[in-house]
């Protein structure tokens, strides 16, 4: 696998930092009461979105769960529009109708933001079916947690995708916990990628903390799907550093375990790797951090300046045309 | 326009499917047994040979996944028709229907729409017992973001599918199992809209309001009442969401009496919704409280006499009509 060139290498580091700083800021804004509802942060998992999404073409479709800020940002959904959505402003990427869990951006083919565990998997199958029937060599990528593997829709969708040989990439972000339930407490077979094999899907597992490894595995997976070889499941072993959501005191896992994983922070790991490879210099990260901070603050300012949709418009967008 | 011809409801639906598939390459049908088997109610018989496997797609027994795949395919630019064998099985796909099909447009701030048609069989009368006989269209009509229609005549069956496919939003088409063999005249119309109730029989003495599989029973009841000199106006709702209040109120306001006939259970029934609307909007025009004829509050039983007893029957409708006229 070829290493990324210097520009790409830096762009990927920058992407992970954008996600991390955006979300850290969201957590502050949540405490300040600016953001409400459920807020699920992606800290620790950035190497997955940043490792996979930049490899996709503009016409490929992306679907994710409620933990999707990172995917949206990596896809190029405008950070200001994402932040305004967190605020519930009409300048948000879903007009303030979706919030943190339902970021949508049709322009970048980002189809949510789905808060039902496993709910997006069948949609990805259908988007891929539409591509196949219309002879388009696009890939539909669906990100979900390992908790989804216990849902019927996971199994139904994998079977359907394999049966019809559809161009779907299923990406399982296995962070070991579904809210407070450890994988070993909920699944008899804890290797999610092995489940895919039983449906005839090609699959692989990768260290989800290692951006270059994720990128390499995803290159293979996307290549497989785009070449018309049918669906693929990539399991990324990862860990979320923060609580499940903002209402979680994390009594289900001990601090030593969290610390152990934090020692393998994907951003730090990647930075070290780039330094070793001579692709960046000692001050590179600090410069990126400054840029990213400016972008995040601009997004906050955009959201702050945003406006509330007039309540008279409450029932718009229930139907495409207002009901007769 | 050709002269009226007699065809079955099943044939009307098949013709509608055939015409839709022929007219638009984006249209495809998918569901359990729709292809090789020809459809469990034989609606899609012959279509596999005509249109091929890509467009008449047999699916596994995975209601949630193939309904969700229909939603995804609609997002991807196709015009899927998803067939769910019966409304009972649609409960396995309810998550996709409610949380995705009905919701995506609003939740995305109007960025995406879901031009999906879901057809499903509904209703009792074939001694199939509780897990194959329920009428849950009222539940679906509860959901904003989808449209719910229930064609009751061959003409509506023939044309409403095209209107459903032309609609940019998800539409559920309910087909009552007792209608598939029913024969009727195919009226020489080009189109039937998705919205708007139809007055199937004019009358001045009371209004009988119904939809779908109960329409034939209601028309028979109206005939019997006419023999006694009672002229019932029969309103066929056709579309349960959105609901055509204007036609309902115009009729109830004119006749001053209404009976609603619905195969759903009485408690929380769709008939309850209609009744409430009439009371809200036409109370001062009424000469009697609206009456309801619904299914008994039991899972529909297998034994014929019990199944009959559970369902609205012509005699029940006639009795309710006489009741609101004070001639019970
Ligand atoms: C169908 C469904 N059941 C339950 C929930 C409540 N819930 C929200 S997130 C979550 C845990 C999911 O864990 P996982 O899929 O591993 O994703 P993660 O949060 O770890 O990214 C649960 C149980 C839900 N949203 N949807």
């Amino acid at each position: 696998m070829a290493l990324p060139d210097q520009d790409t290498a830096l762009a990927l580091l920058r992407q992970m930092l954008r996600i991390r700083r955006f979300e850290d800021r969201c957590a502050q804004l949540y405490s300040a009461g600016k953001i409400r509802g459920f807020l699920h942060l992606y800290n620790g998992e950035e190497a997955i979105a940043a490792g996979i999404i930049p490899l996709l073409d503009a016409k490929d479709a992306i679907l994710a769960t409620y933990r999707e800020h990172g995917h949206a940002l990596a896809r190029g959904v405008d950070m200001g529009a994402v932040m305004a959505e967190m605020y519930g402003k009409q300048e948000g990427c879903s007009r303030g109708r979706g919030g943190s869990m339902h970021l949508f951006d049709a322009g970048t083919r980002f189809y949510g933001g789905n808060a039902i565990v496993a709910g997006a998997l069948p949609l990805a199958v259908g988007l891929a079916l539409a591509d196949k029937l219309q002879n388009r060599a696009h890939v539909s990528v669906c990100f979900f947690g390992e908790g989804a593997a216990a849902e019927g829709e996971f199994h139904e969708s994998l079977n359907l995708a394999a049966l019809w040989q559809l161009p779907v990439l299923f990406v399982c972000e296995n962070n070991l916990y579904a809210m407070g339930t450890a994988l070993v407490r909920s699944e008899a077979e804890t290797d999610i990628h092995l489940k895919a094999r039983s449906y005839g899907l090609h699959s692989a597992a990768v260290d989800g903390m290692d951006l270059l490894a994720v990128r390499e595995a995803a290159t293979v997976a996307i290549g497989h799907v785009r070449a018309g070889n049918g669906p693929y499941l990539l399991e990324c072993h990862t860990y979320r550093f923060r609580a499940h959501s903002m209402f979680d005191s994390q009594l289900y896992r001990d601090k030593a375990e969290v610390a152990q994983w934090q020692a393998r922070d994907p951003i730090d790991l990647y930075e070290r790797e780039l330094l070793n490879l001579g692709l960046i210099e000692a001050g590179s990260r600090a410069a990126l951090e400054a840029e990213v901070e400016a972008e995040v603050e601009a997004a906050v300012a955009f959201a702050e300046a945003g406006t509330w949709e007039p309540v008279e418009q409450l029932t718009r967008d229930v139907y495409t045309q207002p009901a007769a | 326009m050709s002269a009226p011809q007699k065809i079955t409801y099943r044939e009307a639906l098949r013709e509608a499917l055939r015409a839709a598939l022929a007219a638009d390459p984006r249209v495809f049908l998918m569901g359990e047994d729709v292809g090789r088997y020809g459809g469990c109610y034989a609606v899609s018989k012959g279509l596999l040979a005509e249109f091929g496997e890509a467009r008449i797609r047999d699916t596994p027994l995975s209601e949630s996944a193939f309904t969700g795949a229909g939603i995804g395919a609609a997002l991807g630019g196709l015009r899927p028709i998803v067939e769910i064998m019966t409304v009972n099985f649609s409960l396995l796909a309810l998550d996709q229907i409610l949380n995705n099909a009905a919701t995506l447009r609003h939740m995305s701030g109007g960025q995406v729409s879901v031009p999906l048609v879901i057809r499903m069989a509904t209703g009792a009368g074939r001694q199939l017992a509780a897990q194959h006989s329920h009428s849950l269209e009222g539940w679906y009509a509860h959901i904003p973001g989808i449209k719910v229609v229930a064609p009751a005549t061959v003409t509506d069956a023939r044309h409403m599918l095209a209107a459903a496919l032309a609609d940019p939003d998800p539409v559920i088409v309910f087909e009552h199992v007792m209608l598939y063999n029913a024969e009727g005249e195919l009226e020489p119309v080009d189109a039937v809209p998705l919205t708007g109730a139809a007055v199937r029989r004019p009358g001045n003495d009371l209004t009988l309001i119904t939809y779908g599989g109960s329409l034939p029973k209601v028309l028979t009841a109206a005939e019997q009442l006419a023999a006694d000199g009672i002229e019932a106006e029969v309103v066929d709702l056709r579309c349960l969401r959105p609901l055509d209040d204007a036609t309902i109120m115009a009729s109830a306001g004119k006749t001053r009496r209404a009976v609603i006939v619905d195969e759903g259970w009485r408690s929380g029934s769709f008939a309850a919704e209609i009744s409430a609307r009439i009371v809200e909007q036409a109370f001062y025009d009424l000469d009697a409280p609206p009456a309801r004829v619904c299914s008994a509050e039991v899972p529909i039983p297998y034994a014929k006499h019990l199944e009959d007893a559970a369902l609205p029957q012509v005699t029940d409708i006639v009795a309710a009509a006489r009741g609101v006229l004070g001639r019970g």
Side-chain angles (χ1 to χ4, degrees):
Chain A
M1 156 93 191
L3 288 169
D5 60 43
Q6 196 161 7
D7 287 349
T8 309
L10 263 179
L12 296 178
L13 181 59
R14 184 170 190 281
Q15 194 61 266
M16 285 202 284
L17 289 170
R18 285 178 82 229
I19 299 169
R20 178 70 58 90
R21 298 302 161 229
F22 176 86
E23 293 208 309
D24 286 346
R25 193 72 171 93
C26 284
Q28 286 171 356
L29 291 164
Y30 194 88
S31 305
K34 296 282 187 182
I35 296 175
R36 306 306 303 160
F38 280 141
L39 182 68
H40 308 90
L41 302 178
Y42 195 55
N43 298 42
E45 306 190 27
E46 295 91 343
I48 303 171
I52 297 174
I53 293 175
L55 297 171
L56 298 170
D57 291 345
K59 292 290 179 59
D60 294 333
I62 297 179
L63 302 98
T65 67
Y66 45 82
R67 199 182 298 285
E68 88 285 29
H69 310 156
H71 308 87
L73 293 175
R75 184 51 168 177
V77 183
D78 179 72
M79 190 186 281
V82 174
M83 188 60 92
E85 189 60 34
M86 306 284 180
Y87 272 64
K89 299 282 178 81
Q90 60 182 336
E91 290 77 10
C93 62
S94 304
R95 289 190 66 84
R97 301 305 175 96
S100 162
M101 300 194 287
H102 305 295
L103 305 175
F104 281 83
D105 185 40
T108 57
R109 302 205 74 213
F110 190 77
Y111 292 110
N114 200 309
I116 306 295
V117 170
L121 277 77
L123 303 186
V125 170
L127 281 159
L129 176 62
D131 285 335
K132 179 160 178 163
L133 291 182
Q134 295 172 102
N135 298 313
R136 298 184 297 230
H138 304 160
V139 177
S140 294
V141 185
C142 187
F143 295 88
F144 53 92
E146 82 293 342
E151 293 280 0
E153 278 181 332
F154 169 87
H155 299 274
E156 293 187 16
S157 299
L158 263 55
N159 178 52
L160 208 53
L163 181 71
W164 291 345
Q165 287 292 290
L166 299 177
V168 194
L169 172 59
F170 297 102
V171 180
C172 178
E173 303 181 320
N174 181 358
N175 62 17
L176 296 174
Y177 291 90
M179 287 180 59
T181 301
L183 185 57
V184 289
R185 293 173 62 84
S186 62
E187 291 287 291
E189 170 57 71
T190 54
D191 281 323
I192 308 296
H193 66 285
L194 293 184
K195 294 176 190 284
R197 303 245 174 107
S198 75
Y199 294 105
L201 273 83
H202 290 264
S203 70
V206 66
D207 177 358
M209 307 309 257
D210 179 345
L211 184 139
L212 290 177
V214 171
R215 191 173 155 91
E216 182 172 346
T219 302
V220 172
I222 294 166
H224 170 99
V225 175
R226 204 182 301 287
N229 298 319
Y232 195 104
L233 186 143
L234 183 61
E235 178 181 3
C236 304
H237 292 291
T238 186
Y239 201 79
R240 62 173 157 70
F241 295 164
R242 284 182 178 268
H244 166 74
S245 71
M246 300 301 280
F247 302 108
D248 168 12
S249 49
Q250 300 194 69
L251 300 174
Y252 50 83
R253 59 184 196 182
D254 56 47
K255 295 204 167 69
E257 181 184 293
V258 180
Q260 210 178 343
W261 280 90
Q262 267 168 344
R264 299 196 67 236
D265 184 311
I267 303 182
D268 298 343
L269 276 187
Y270 181 60
E271 183 195 10
R272 276 207 294 279
E273 205 157 357
L274 293 185
L275 283 168
N276 287 342
L277 291 165
L279 284 169
I280 60 171
E281 293 154 25
S284 301
R285 178 167 174 176
L288 287 176
E289 294 270 18
E291 267 176 61
V292 164
E293 191 186 323
E295 188 190 6
V296 170
E297 289 318 308
V300 174
F302 177 77
E304 285 285 343
T307 51
W308 303 112
E309 183 167 1
V311 81
E312 292 69 37
Q313 293 181 26
L314 174 66
T315 58
R316 69 171 272 171
D317 296 326
V318 177
Y319 296 96
T320 301
Q321 290 131 5
Chain B
M1 283 278 85
S2 53
Q5 64 178 122
K6 273 207 168 227
I7 60 167
T8 64
Y9 187 86
R10 170 183 295 110
E11 288 161 349
L13 289 168
R14 190 183 303 139
E15 245 344 282
L17 287 172
R18 180 179 284 126
L21 287 155
D24 186 345
R26 297 173 304 173
V27 173
F28 69 100
L29 175 69
M30 116 173 111
E32 292 158 6
D33 285 316
V34 299
R36 284 287 156 80
Y37 191 85
C40 75
Y41 288 100
V43 169
S44 48
K45 201 163 194 163
L47 297 182
L48 175 62
E50 207 173 330
F51 295 99
E53 303 230 350
R55 300 184 66 203
I56 307 295
R57 306 185 76 88
D58 281 319
T59 64
L61 308 181
S62 306
E63 283 78 5
S64 197
F66 71 72
T67 302
I71 298 166
L75 290 173
L78 296 177
R79 290 291 176 277
I81 304 171
V82 168
E83 178 178 311
I84 297 181
M85 276 188 184
T86 89
V87 67
N88 300 75
F89 314 153
S90 76
L91 300 185
L92 280 79
L94 195 52
D95 161 52
Q96 287 296 331
I97 296 171
L98 171 51
N99 285 320
N100 283 333
T103 310
L104 284 172
R105 180 166 186 84
H106 191 75
M107 225 162 53
S108 68
Q111 290 184 80
V112 301
S113 54
V114 181
L116 167 71
V117 176
I118 302 174
R119 298 173 40 238
M120 49 179 124
T122 187
R126 293 163 50 103
Q127 285 196 261
L128 298 178
Q131 291 179 345
H132 286 74
S133 300
H134 289 146
S135 286
L136 305 178
E137 48 276 10
W139 286 11
Y140 284 99
H142 182 62
I143 303 171
I146 55 177
K147 295 180 180 172
V148 177
V149 301
T153 67
V154 297
T155 306
D156 283 3
R158 170 64 186 81
H159 292 291
M160 286 179 101
L161 185 77
L165 282 166
D167 198 283
D169 297 313
V171 181
I172 304 186
V173 181
F174 282 99
E175 304 164 6
H176 196 287
V177 293
M178 297 307 281
L179 292 175
Y180 284 125
N181 288 328
E183 276 203 345
E185 266 184 12
L186 184 61
E187 292 161 37
V189 297
D190 288 330
V192 171
L194 270 192
T195 49
V199 176
R200 299 295 183 193
R201 184 187 203 283
N204 286 311
D205 296 329
L206 82 155
T207 300
L208 297 173
I209 300 166
T210 193
Y211 65 87
S214 298
L215 180 65
K217 290 176 183 171
V218 168
L219 288 170
T220 303
E223 293 293 318
Q224 291 185 9
L225 289 164
D228 269 354
I230 300 169
E231 290 300 332
E233 181 147 297
V234 176
V235 172
D236 171 7
L237 297 172
R238 294 211 281 207
C239 186
L240 308 190
R241 177 177 274 272
L243 202 49
D244 176 5
D245 278 353
T247 301
I248 299 169
M249 299 318 149
S251 181
K254 178 180 78 174
T255 66
R256 313 177 84 82
R257 295 173 166 87
V259 175
I260 306 124
V261 182
D262 171 9
E263 216 180 286
W265 294 294
R266 183 185 180 87
S267 301
S269 60
F270 196 68
E273 173 67 23
I274 308 279
S275 175
R277 289 192 187 209
I278 292 172
V279 170
E280 285 164 352
Q281 297 175 51
F283 183 80
Y284 294 107
D285 294 330
L286 297 179
D287 285 339
R292 286 185 280 158
V293 182
C294 297
S295 283
E297 310 262 332
V298 292
I300 304 295
Y302 160 71
K304 174 94 174 84
H305 68 295
L306 296 177
E307 182 183 49
D308 285 348
L311 299 176
Q313 299 296 351
V314 173
T315 48
D316 305 320
I317 302 165
V318 169
R322 290 181 159 281
V324 297
L325 283 158
R327 290 168 60 172

